[in-house]
Amino acid sequence: MPARILVIEDNAANLDLMVYLLRAFGHPVLSARDGEEGLATAGREKPDLIVCDIQLPKMDGYEVVRRLKADPACRSIPVVAVTALAMVGDRDRVLDAGFEGYLAKPITPETFVQQIEGFLSSTRSYPPSRFADPLPEAARHSIRLGKVLVVDNVQANLDLACSILEPSGYEVTAASGAREGLEKADRHPPDLILSDVCMSEGSGYDFIRAVKANTRLAGIPFVFITSSMLEEKDRERGLALGAARFLFRPIEPQELLAEIEACLREVKPHVENIDRG
């Protein structure tokens, strides 16, 4: 059966990625943004496993695990450190502090859930991924639903998009900003562009203007996805500039895939449904 997992992480992008991946494999997920909140949630909810960053506000991961292991009601809960610490001896310090394991950041989306499940009881069984019933390995090489350019300056968001789209049959190209995205799109025009709105080097609005001004790219479906521009006026602005969709995070993987497929169908109505078994 699925495991209830608590993720304690102060970085919003990292937290979103881990929560998405775990839920996609059927695990109910609790979350906390600092050590104090995480400790309180663990004591109240008694999850099956805790994933904990080391460098946290209010109370660091070392203090969190120390208090958990001192509490008879929580000491048996496995606690896994997920951290960017990279100094010599950090791994030994993490294990000596009471963590059952250690995963380095940035996490690898393709293997993260399997690694986490390895710290749970071997008697558990887990449901298959809900990432759109991925195509078989052989089919992925012979069938491509389309080429998607994903543009976002947050690496965790790029990783998440790839982990959803690629197993479902899409060929994904990633760009970390509007300038790089425009260069890649002009060099190898994709079938669809999925772009954040707020980026460090030019906004998504600037990006879509440049795309629509390029005669080679103007007809490509452009989809915005954002976690910060949440007002209706932001959505209206994006659609007025030519976006086919304006999506809000968090969004379920199946919903994102459905929106992308619908956009591609609108420009390629002859495309048939692929039987995913």
Side-chain angles (χ1 to χ4, degrees), residues 11-275:
N11 181 282
N14 291 336
L15 178 63
D16 287 347
L17 177 57
M18 289 187 279
V19 169
Y20 263 125
L21 293 171
L22 291 166
R23 284 180 176 165
F25 278 79
H27 298 293
V29 183
L30 306 164
S31 64
R33 295 289 295 272
D34 61 63
E36 287 184 359
E37 182 188 1
L39 186 64
T41 302
R44 183 178 64 251
E45 300 290 342
K46 306 298 190 299
D48 298 304
L49 182 140
I50 298 170
V51 177
C52 186
D53 191 16
I54 296 295
Q55 297 176 316
L56 292 166
K58 299 185 180 180
M59 180 188 300
D60 68 18
Y62 292 120
E63 182 63 14
V64 171
V65 77
R66 186 188 72 78
R67 296 197 188 189
L68 287 171
K69 298 306 179 182
D71 182 351
C74 296
R75 66 174 51 149
S76 64
I77 301 173
V79 187
V80 180
V82 180
T83 178
L85 294 176
M87 299 293 289
V88 175
D90 280 337
R91 183 179 182 279
D92 290 340
R93 183 186 176 194
V94 165
L95 298 178
D96 289 344
F99 289 94
E100 273 70 27
Y102 173 102
L103 299 180
K105 291 180 182 177
I107 65 170
T108 303
E110 293 80 6
T111 60
F112 173 71
V113 176
Q114 182 181 6
Q115 290 172 313
I116 292 299
E117 289 175 347
F119 293 102
L120 292 161
S121 169
S122 60
T123 61
R124 288 188 178 273
S125 60
Y126 302 99
S129 169
R130 291 190 289 108
F131 275 0
D133 301 324
L135 295 172
E137 183 68 26
R140 275 186 246 164
H141 294 291
S142 59
I143 300 174
R144 283 293 176 186
L145 300 185
K147 296 182 291 183
V148 178
L149 171 64
V150 181
V151 183
D152 200 303
N153 67 324
V154 177
Q155 186 61 45
N157 290 338
L158 293 175
D159 291 341
L160 177 58
C162 290
S163 69
I164 294 172
L165 296 171
E166 288 181 338
S168 300
Y170 291 97
E171 180 181 340
V172 180
T173 301
S176 60
R179 183 183 305 172
E180 182 185 359
L182 188 62
E183 291 174 354
K184 288 189 173 182
D186 194 44
R187 190 161 57 245
H188 300 290
D191 297 301
L192 182 140
I193 297 171
L194 180 66
S195 175
D196 192 15
V197 179
C198 295
M199 294 182 284
S200 55
E201 294 183 3
S203 74
Y205 297 135
D206 296 328
F207 180 35
I208 193 172
R209 288 191 189 95
V211 168
K212 296 304 180 182
N214 186 316
T215 55
R216 296 182 66 229
L217 308 178
I220 296 172
F222 193 109
V223 177
F224 279 122
I225 184 166
T226 178
S227 56
S228 55
M229 308 295 283
L230 304 179
E231 296 185 12
E232 180 60 23
K233 63 181 178 64
D234 300 316
R235 177 178 175 276
E236 291 175 354
R237 182 181 180 188
L239 296 177
L241 289 170
R245 299 288 190 280
F246 197 99
L247 308 177
F248 303 101
R249 298 190 187 96
I251 183 171
E252 288 295 321
Q254 290 281 17
E255 183 181 350
L256 176 60
L257 289 165
E259 294 285 5
I260 288 175
E261 184 175 337
C263 287
L264 291 173
R265 254 174 227 293
E266 289 167 7
V267 295
K268 297 180 180 179
H270 63 281
V271 175
E272 299 292 334
N273 280 324
I274 288 185
D275 183 2

Side-chain angles (χ1 to χ4, degrees), residues 3-14:
R4 294 172 69 245
I5 299 174
L6 169 62
V7 180
I8 310 174
E9 168 64 68
D10 64 313
N11 181 282
N14 291 336

